[in-house]
DNA sequence: CATCATTATGAGTCATGCTCACTATCGTAG
DNA sequence: CTACGATAGTGAGCATGACTCATAATGATG
């Protein structure tokens, strides 16, 4: 890509074209990182008998505590029907249980089993280890620069209306 | 693995703990960015009648030029059968055609239609615009720090064996 | 020419997502 | 207290995208 159109300008637009190319290169890096991190997470996941979506549900459940499926659906921004399916799978594999809700006989409370709790703790620990692997060898000022840049980008995305719900 | 051997030392372990928290925060930012960028790309895609996987195939095809499905399968690291399905969809929606291969009557050459070419060009342009939106307002030194940090992380991932095939 | 490898695909499975319709229950207006 | 509308969960059915296994057609090679 990038039969880049610098040139064709005279005094200062070279700056603009150079910026554009630099932006493209930076965005390429971000997207590549996106793909690599995603792939790595998903690869590690299935070792535990967990699929990406089910893991995401577990993660959400950890944040919410025992709760009805509707709350999970809202938090994950997926349909209640999909939550039913994911919880089905997690119940079948022993990560959560459906407990009757004391307050509402229509609802169930999705609740961690000990295995589910252990799985989430394990994921947390893996993430800590991964953070160490990624950043421990990085010079401190470069690390600080990275975090500042990421914050800037996240702030920009937030301003553009792209945000995570919570 | 790696219930880390920081060993509970006294004098400087505060540093280690602080680092760990900083690493976790940085990783959180990276993962959040991962999710946000992914979501945004997929959202924009379906406006064009393209699914994420089919778009990925188009992107690969742009890199490879007209080629048999097996080449696409290898490049995308998915099974040939899956490529058949994706190409089916792209043919049905008019983005590519299956041309007979002159050299091998078993194979077909997946080839862009004008609509397909236009779609990829449009995606490229969108990406350039997105890069500008993300980075144009960022101070130059912060941008440089971000890129340096990203390169560092990508290098580390590469060293860990995580890399993109191409 | 016979055999083996390769290309694409049919058939069948699984995981995620969706909608629509339905039951059971809740809450509230009357 | 009852009747009605909202809410929680699920059954049925569909689409996408990934996989495997089997198979037909063709290529390549001894």
């Amino acid at each position: 890509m990038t039969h880049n159109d610098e040139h064709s300008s005279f005094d200062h637009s070279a700056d603009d074209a150079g910026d554009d190319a630099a932006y493209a290169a930076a965005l390429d890096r971000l997207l590549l990182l996106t793909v690599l991190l995603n792939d790595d997470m998903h690869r590690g996941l299935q070792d535990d008998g967990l699929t990406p979506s089910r893991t995401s549900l577990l993660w959400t459940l950890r944040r919410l505590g025992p709760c009805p499926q509707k709350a999970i659906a809202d938090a994950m921004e997926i349909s209640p029907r999909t939550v039913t399916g994911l919880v089905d799978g997690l119940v079948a594999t022993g990560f959560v249980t459906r407990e009757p809700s004391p307050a509402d006989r229509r609802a169930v409370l999705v609740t961690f089993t000990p295995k589910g709790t252990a799985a989430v703790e394990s994921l947390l620990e893996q993430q800590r280890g991964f953070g160490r692997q990624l950043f421990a060898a990085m010079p401190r000022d470069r690390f600080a620069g990275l975090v500042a840049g990421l914050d800037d980008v996240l702030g920009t995305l937030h301003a553009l209306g792209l945000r995570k719900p919570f």
Side-chain angles (χ1 to χ4, degrees), chain A:
Chain A
M1 63 193 61
T2 88
H3 47 21
N4 51 346
D5 17 9
E6 330 195 6
H7 55 58
S8 72
S9 49
F10 306 146
D11 6 76
H12 60 286
S13 68
D15 263 19
D16 290 3
D19 283 356
D20 244 31
Y23 299 159
L27 188 53
D28 278 352
R29 284 170 173 81
L30 268 184
L31 296 178
L32 176 55
L33 195 51
T34 278
V35 172
L36 289 178
L37 289 179
N38 251 342
D39 287 1
D40 182 58
M41 300 208 65
H42 294 177
R43 210 171 299 135
L45 252 45
Q46 47 197 95
D47 298 343
D48 305 313
L50 283 170
T51 61
S53 291
R54 290 178 196 173
T55 307
S56 173
L57 194 153
L58 250 42
W59 199 258
T60 303
L61 188 59
R62 179 178 173 275
R63 214 167 34 85
L64 301 181
C67 63
Q69 295 182 180
K70 182 56 163 52
I72 300 176
D74 289 343
M76 294 178 68
E77 297 192 298
I78 58 182
S79 74
R81 188 59 184 85
T82 301
V83 174
T84 297
L86 294 177
V87 172
D88 283 349
L90 287 167
V91 168
T93 47
F95 289 95
V96 304
T97 59
R98 284 190 172 100
E99 304 295 332
S101 168
D104 188 338
R105 271 187 297 170
R106 294 168 302 177
V108 295
L109 292 187
V110 182
T111 310
F112 278 118
T113 61
K115 175 179 176 182
T117 305
V120 171
E121 288 305 317
S122 159
L123 289 177
L124 264 175
E125 183 47 48
Q126 282 177 237
Q127 216 177 70
R128 275 190 289 266
F130 192 50
R132 259 175 248 125
Q133 273 189 306
L134 274 192
F135 302 124
M138 197 182 294
R140 300 189 85 93
D141 57 339
R142 184 174 302 168
F143 179 72
L146 172 63
V147 171
L150 290 175
D151 277 341
D152 192 309
V153 170
L154 286 172
T156 302
L157 286 175
H158 192 84
L160 290 174
L162 274 150
R163 46 179 62 90
K164 254 298 107 166
F166 65 94

